[in-house]
């Protein structure tokens, strides 16, 4: 079931159970929500002990009252299931619900994320409260979406989870011999005789069997998805048919989000960038790429920013205030990358407990005459003005491969550099290369369809799952432009190295074979030197660091060579025509300017039209969204000074901002182009 909204969402987590003794505050909250243009709040995320103070004793009237009052004032509700934190009575009476850590010690009650996803008791208690909430509020006209739990994550190593893991392995491998073969257990005498002997990875025991670690991570994702399904089933049993979401986290490595997103109707995520730690544009690219990842998890369907901090968090190493305009810029960026809304954590600042100093829309002072509140109002006003953007989607000609299994395996394996592979920076350099051209980018995993993209980049795709190389081959054959980097196609689904040469299955497509990989010390550098009159017309020399792969040519042409070391003169950038497409191999960790120049040429070769006319100034983000025959151009200035924006070639009208004026830092401009008659 899809989640559809006709307006852009603005609001945030609201925890009124902290203020039930203060009706004056609840009243004031509603007034301030209205004043700031908030049209939605997330309720009940951590309310379990207020909703069920004793086992089987349910107190839902206060929540009904809050939902009614919000509804009467035009504010919708995203209603949470409360499983993210449990009441004390539950942990005391049923200790099995508490998590066991990798050391095999059971946690005491406390914190959040402290429950076993397998425990039948936990599942039963969660299902019961979910059913109650669904029965009571599932048909309330003010409730628009379910928020399942909170930031699902973590694992449990209790005996129940061990049994479930063994069963998961039995289902996957059938026989213990097959598991031993796929896991390469003969090495170091790790051979198992039965599934019952297998235990989850532990620092007190097995940590070096990479396939075990990998399957454990996959199992944890499946367990979490299974738990989520139980939660949803209870909501459905209670009678509600509303769509569901779960709030995901920034590049979270604990769960395979492509897999988890299959269980969700809409993806939402919590965005807490460390603005001002570096130049705004650097943080903007990193956050923008995460928005694009979240949008891609369900193939471009709507998503939104569920949480963000209106001022400073209280958990980052330094609690930096957002400088004026940055809250606006962050919220608008969530929209510019295709989001349907920008929400905060939290509406009213807590008076006590762990997050009392975390920024909020309404702070301890409580008035509307604060800098933060005024900025929230500005966001609210702007989102209202941009409401026609709701439901528009992002079309991307380029995709970057981002696969959890591959990353898990790569990060776990000890290889050419154990001192940092700089994977995330590499992704960002490539991403930035596209974004500098104003080109929208999707992040896809190996299961995603590749048709429809003109350019595909495989950055350090260490694992090639079964069938993936064939899929990529078909992409190039049919005219796709493929860029593959070093450290790709090395291992299979269970982290066994491919025999017979790498990148496995693509050597003929790329026209090369990777022979050896040199890991560089942090202080070392090499360079990419252009070959005279190379095919792409590259003319600059670029630096490279960390990893240098030495490819041997098998039909490809050399465009650039290494400048130093014993492999000076060896190919470092190659090009090979295959079918109707082209395949490039980037053999070293090149500096970002290389990617900016190189990808510009690749896009040109792919026939991707320029988004706007002329250079996009450094610091300016240009994205597009489309709906009903209209293309929207969204410009955001994350630079250090006002800039003139390069306009699209076609005739446009301004929806927000003035195209003839300079765009100030942190400001937004939105232009509209009619691309075809609406259907
Ligand atoms: C999120 C969490 C919220 C709140 C917030 C503070 O990760 O979902 O409940 O703790 O962080 O930044």
């Amino acid at each position: 079931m899809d989640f559809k909204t006709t307006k852009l969402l603005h609001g945030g987590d609201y925890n009124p159970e902290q203020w039930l003794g203060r009706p004056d505050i609840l009243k004031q909250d509603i007034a301030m929500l209205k004043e700031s243009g908030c049209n939605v709040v997330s309720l009940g995320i951590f309310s379990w002990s207020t909703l069920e103070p004793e086992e089987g004793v349910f107190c839902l009237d206060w929540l009904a009252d809050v939902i009614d009052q919000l509804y009467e004032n035009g504010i919708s509700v995203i209603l949470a299931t409360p499983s993210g934190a449990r009441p004390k009575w539950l942990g005391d009476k049923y200790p099995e619900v508490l998590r066991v850590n990798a050391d095999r010690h059971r946690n005491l009650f406390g914190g959040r994320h402290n429950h076993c996803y397998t425990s039948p008791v936990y599942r039963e208690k969660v299902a019961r409260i979910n059913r109650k909430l669904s029965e009571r509020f599932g048909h309330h006209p003010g409730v628009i979406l379910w928020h399942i739990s909170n930031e699902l994550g973590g694992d449990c190593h209790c005996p129940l989870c061990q049994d479930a893991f063994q069963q998961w392995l039995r289902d996957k491998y059938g026989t213990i011999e097959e598991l031993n073969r796929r896991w390469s257990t003969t090495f170091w005498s790790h051979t198992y005789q039965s599934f019952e002997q297998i235990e989850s990875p532990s620092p007190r025991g097995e940590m070096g069997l990479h396939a075990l670690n990998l399957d454990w991570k996959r199992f944890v994702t499946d367990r979490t998805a299974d738990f989520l399904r139980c939660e949803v089933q209870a909501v459905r049993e209670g009678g509600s048919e509303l769509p569901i979401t779960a709030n995901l986290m920034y590049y979270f490595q604990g769960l395979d989000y492509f897999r988890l997103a299959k269980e969700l109707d809409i993806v939402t995520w919590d965005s807490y960038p460390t603005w001002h730690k570096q130049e705004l544009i650097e943080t903007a690219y990193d956050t923008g790429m995460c928005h694009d990842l979240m949008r891609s998890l369900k193939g471009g369907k709507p998503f939104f920013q569920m949480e963000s901090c209106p001022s400073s968090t209280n958990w980052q190493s330094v609690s930096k205030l957002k400088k004026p305009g940055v809250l606006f810029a962050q919220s608008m960026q969530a929209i510019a990358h295709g989001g349907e809304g920008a929400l905060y954590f939290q509406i009213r600042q807590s008076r006590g407990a762990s997050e009392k100093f975390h920024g909020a829309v309404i702070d301890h002072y409580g008035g509307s005459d604060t800098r933060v509140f005024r900025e929230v109002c500005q966001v609210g006003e702007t989102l209202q003005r941009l409401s026609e953007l709701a439901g528009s989607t992002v079309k991307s000609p380029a995709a970057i491969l981002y696969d959890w299994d591959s990353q898990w395996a790569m990060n776990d394996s000890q290889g050419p550099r154990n001192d940092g592979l700089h994977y995330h920076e590499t992704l960002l350099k490539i991403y930035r290369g596209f974004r500098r051209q104003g080109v929208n980018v999707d992040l896809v995993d190996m299961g995603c369809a590749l048709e429809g993209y003109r350019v595909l980049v495989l950055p350090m795709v260490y694992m090639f799952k079964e069938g993936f190389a064939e899929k990529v081959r078909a992409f190039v054959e049919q005219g796709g432009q493929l860029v593959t980097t070093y450290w790709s196609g090395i291992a299979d689904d269970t982290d066994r190295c491919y025999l017979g040469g790498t990148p496995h299955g693509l050597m003929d497509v790329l026209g090369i074979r990777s022979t050896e990989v040199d890991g560089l010390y942090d202080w070392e550098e090499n360079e990419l030197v252009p070959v005279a009159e190379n095919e792409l017309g590259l003319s600059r020399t670029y630096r490279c660091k960390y990893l240098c792969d030495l490819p041997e040519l098998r039909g490809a042409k050399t465009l650039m060579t290494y400048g130093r070391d014993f492999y000076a003169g060896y190919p470092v950038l190659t090009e090979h025509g295959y079918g109707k497409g082209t395949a490039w191999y980037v053999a070293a960790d090149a500096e970002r300017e290389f990617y900016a120049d190189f990808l510009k040429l690749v896009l040109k070769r792919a026939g991707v039209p320029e988004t706007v006319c002329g250079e996009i100034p450094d610091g300016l983000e240009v994205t597009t969204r489309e709906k009903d025959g209209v293309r929207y151009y969204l410009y955001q200035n994350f630079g250090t000074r006002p800039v003139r924006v390069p306009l699209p070639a076609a005739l446009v009208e301004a929806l927000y901002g003035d195209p003839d004026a300079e765009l100030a830092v942190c400001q937004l401009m939105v232009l509209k182009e009619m691309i075809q008659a609406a259907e």
Side-chain angles (χ1 to χ4, degrees):
M1 172 190 336
D2 284 345
F3 174 79
K4 287 202 179 81
T5 169
T6 50
K7 55 189 174 200
L8 294 174
L9 303 175
H10 185 222
D13 282 22
Y14 183 41
N15 300 302
E17 63 274 20
Q18 299 171 104
W19 307 97
L20 292 182
R22 293 289 305 267
D24 56 318
I25 285 198
L26 296 178
K27 216 166 141 204
Q28 194 198 350
D29 289 344
I30 292 191
M32 288 177 75
L33 281 165
K34 283 170 78 174
E35 188 182 341
S36 55
C38 285
N39 50 29
V40 68
V41 296
S42 305
L43 274 183
I45 299 175
F46 297 115
S47 306
W48 198 344
S49 68
T50 316
L51 294 167
E52 191 182 358
E54 285 174 48
E55 184 173 7
V57 176
F58 295 97
C59 304
L60 308 190
D61 290 348
W62 66 271
L63 186 57
D65 198 39
V66 174
I67 295 177
D68 286 345
Q69 285 190 46
L70 289 163
Y71 180 59
E72 281 158 22
N73 285 281
I75 299 161
S76 306
V77 166
I78 298 171
L79 190 57
T81 65
S83 63
R86 64 231 44 82
K88 179 85 170 105
W89 58 258
L90 184 54
D92 286 357
K93 186 160 175 201
Y94 309 101
E96 74 159 64
V97 306
L98 298 174
R99 232 169 240 190
V100 170
N101 65 24
D103 276 348
R104 313 299 192 249
H105 292 127
R106 197 175 287 281
N107 290 345
L108 302 178
F109 172 81
R112 306 187 280 185
H113 309 289
N114 185 10
H115 55 270
C116 168
Y117 288 125
T118 304
S119 158
V121 174
Y122 197 60
R123 288 178 174 220
E124 178 199 316
K125 301 298 167 202
V126 169
R128 186 153 73 150
I129 183 83
N130 288 7
R131 263 194 307 273
K132 291 271 175 209
L133 289 168
S134 172
E135 282 162 8
R136 180 86 185 255
F137 306 113
H139 291 100
H140 194 293
V143 179
I144 57 168
L145 179 67
W146 287 97
H147 180 301
I148 304 294
S149 202
N150 191 65
E151 294 188 338
L152 297 160
D155 56 4
C156 172
H157 298 254
C158 76
L160 293 167
C161 287
Q162 302 293 348
D163 285 351
F165 181 44
Q166 290 165 4
Q167 190 52 46
W168 186 93
L169 293 170
R170 253 182 230 112
D171 293 343
K172 178 167 180 181
Y173 295 104
T175 64
I176 198 68
E177 291 74 25
E178 178 62 4
L179 177 140
N180 280 317
R181 192 177 72 79
R182 299 291 306 276
W183 282 16
S184 308
T185 54
T186 319
F187 193 64
W188 284 6
S189 272
H190 284 181
T191 316
Y192 295 100
Q193 280 86 43
S194 72
F195 286 101
E196 291 75 46
Q197 293 174 324
I198 301 176
E199 286 186 51
S200 59
S202 167
R204 289 171 54 210
E206 188 66 271
M207 288 292 278
L209 194 51
H210 295 149
L212 163 68
N213 298 345
L214 185 59
D215 272 342
W216 173 252
K217 291 197 167 83
R218 290 166 168 156
F219 162 77
V220 170
T221 295
D222 280 358
R223 258 310 68 187
T224 309
D226 190 58
F227 179 81
L228 195 147
R229 266 198 305 276
C230 286
E231 286 224 32
V232 175
Q233 191 190 334
V235 165
R236 299 294 177 236
E237 284 165 8
S240 172
E241 288 303 325
L242 287 172
I244 64 127
T245 190
N247 50 337
L248 309 184
M249 293 173 272
Y250 169 87
Y251 303 109
F252 181 59
Q253 287 306 296
L255 296 170
D256 177 346
Y257 276 169
F258 277 101
R259 162 84 188 78
L260 198 72
K262 293 195 177 18
E263 312 291 334
L264 310 177
D265 296 312
I266 176 167
V267 165
T268 57
W269 79 285
D270 300 346
S271 174
Y272 292 96
T274 45
W275 295 106
H276 312 301
K277 201 172 176 178
Q278 52 187 350
E279 299 263 308
L280 284 184
I281 186 64
E282 304 301 333
T283 310
Y285 282 137
D286 191 33
T287 310
M289 185 165 80
C290 202
H291 281 302
D292 293 348
L293 172 62
M294 295 294 163
R295 187 189 65 238
S296 304
L297 293 176
K298 287 193 78 68
K301 284 195 175 162
F303 76 103
F304 64 89
Q305 174 182 283
M306 181 65 92
E307 292 181 23
S308 63
C309 184
S311 57
S312 63
T313 64
N314 70 334
W315 52 265
Q316 286 164 348
S317 52
V318 173
S319 304
K320 192 86 197 143
L321 292 180
K322 285 189 170 70
K323 294 188 197 290
V326 171
L327 169 62
F328 178 81
Q330 172 171 345
S331 306
M332 293 309 135
Q333 197 191 19
I335 307 302
H337 284 256
E340 299 290 73
L343 280 62
Y344 313 106
F345 176 89
Q346 60 179 328
I347 298 297
R348 182 177 279 275
Q349 194 167 32
S350 301
R351 186 155 188 200
S354 63
E355 295 189 307
K356 58 183 175 295
F357 294 123
H358 192 285
V361 173
I362 307 169
D363 65 13
H364 292 150
Y365 159 65
S368 56
D369 52 339
T370 64
R371 181 179 75 92
V372 170
F373 190 77
R374 275 195 295 272
E375 292 208 23
V376 170
C377 292
Q378 191 205 350
V379 173
E381 238 168 68
T382 310
L383 291 178
Q384 258 163 31
R385 278 182 58 189
L386 298 180
S387 57
E388 65 177 81
L389 282 166
S392 60
T393 54
V394 172
K395 293 210 170 79
S396 306
I400 300 176
L401 203 103
Y402 188 95
D403 191 282
W404 263 267
D405 283 309
S406 178
Q407 285 181 66
W408 285 336
M410 179 173 73
N411 293 335
D412 201 26
S413 70
Q414 292 137 294
R417 248 189 79 96
N418 301 319
D419 212 10
L421 291 167
H422 297 267
Y423 172 74
H424 193 72
E425 290 95 314
T426 304
L427 282 183
L428 272 172
K429 286 190 276 193
I430 294 164
Y431 180 76
R432 188 175 182 276
F434 287 122
R435 298 291 325 132
R436 290 285 287 119
Q437 307 305 317
V439 166
N440 295 333
V441 186
D442 288 347
L443 284 97
V444 295
D445 81 346
M446 289 185 223
C448 295
L450 301 178
E451 295 87 33
Y453 296 114
R454 308 255 196 111
V455 182
L456 171 69
V457 185
L458 310 184
M460 301 169 85
V461 182
Y462 166 86
M463 175 186 288
F464 276 9
K465 293 181 199 169
E466 212 183 311
F468 179 63
E470 288 70 32
K471 196 163 156 175
V472 175
R473 170 187 303 274
F475 170 80
V476 186
E477 224 159 32
Q478 287 149 25
Q481 310 296 311
L482 171 74
V483 176
T484 303
T485 80
Y486 53 94
W487 214 228
S488 291
I490 308 291
D492 71 6
D493 304 48
T494 48
D495 203 14
R496 285 182 312 174
C497 290
Y498 281 116
L499 306 180
T502 64
H504 173 78
L506 289 184
M507 289 182 290
D508 60 331
V509 175
L510 291 157
I512 57 105
R513 177 176 82 82
S514 155
T515 63
E516 298 180 84
V517 183
D518 192 16
L520 272 56
Y521 290 105
D522 279 355
W523 45 266
E524 277 187 296
E525 268 182 22
N526 206 315
E527 52 191 17
L528 294 82
V529 182
V531 168
E533 287 168 30
N534 62 79
E535 248 69 16
L536 272 182
L538 288 156
S539 57
R540 268 189 57 189
T541 295
Y542 304 91
R543 287 176 300 124
C544 60
K545 287 168 77 85
Y546 307 125
L547 287 178
C548 293
D549 171 14
L550 315 184
E552 129 197 316
L553 296 180
R554 292 192 168 186
K557 282 184 212 131
T558 303
L559 305 186
M560 302 187 95
T561 55
Y562 282 108
R564 302 185 203 155
D565 215 319
F566 75 88
Y567 40 92
Y570 281 41
V572 62
L573 176 68
T574 63
E575 174 181 326
H576 187 234
Y578 186 84
K580 294 188 199 144
T582 314
W584 283 278
Y585 191 67
V586 182
D589 184 353
E591 66 175 301
R592 71 185 195 190
E593 286 317 311
F594 163 76
Y595 280 110
D597 295 344
F598 169 61
L599 291 175
K600 186 175 179 177
L601 297 166
V602 171
L603 285 165
K604 204 165 164 197
R605 183 76 77 82
V608 175
E610 287 186 344
T611 314
V612 291
C613 302
E615 263 310 271
I616 297 176
D618 213 13
L620 186 71
E621 257 224 301
V622 186
T623 50
T624 56
R625 293 181 65 155
E626 290 176 23
K627 177 173 97 170
D628 299 338
V630 178
R631 179 176 299 137
Y632 299 91
Y633 294 81
L634 295 99
Y635 296 81
Q636 286 198 272
N637 187 355
F638 289 105
T640 50
R641 64 179 72 89
V643 288
R644 239 168 226 291
V645 306
L647 298 175
L651 206 61
V652 285
E653 67 177 90
L655 178 64
Y656 189 89
D658 176 4
D660 295 326
E662 286 195 322
L663 187 63
V665 173
C666 286
Q667 270 312 311
L668 167 79
M669 183 182 301
V670 185
L671 306 178
K672 270 171 87 166
E673 174 196 348
M674 306 306 291
I675 46 175
Q676 64 195 43
E679 281 157 21

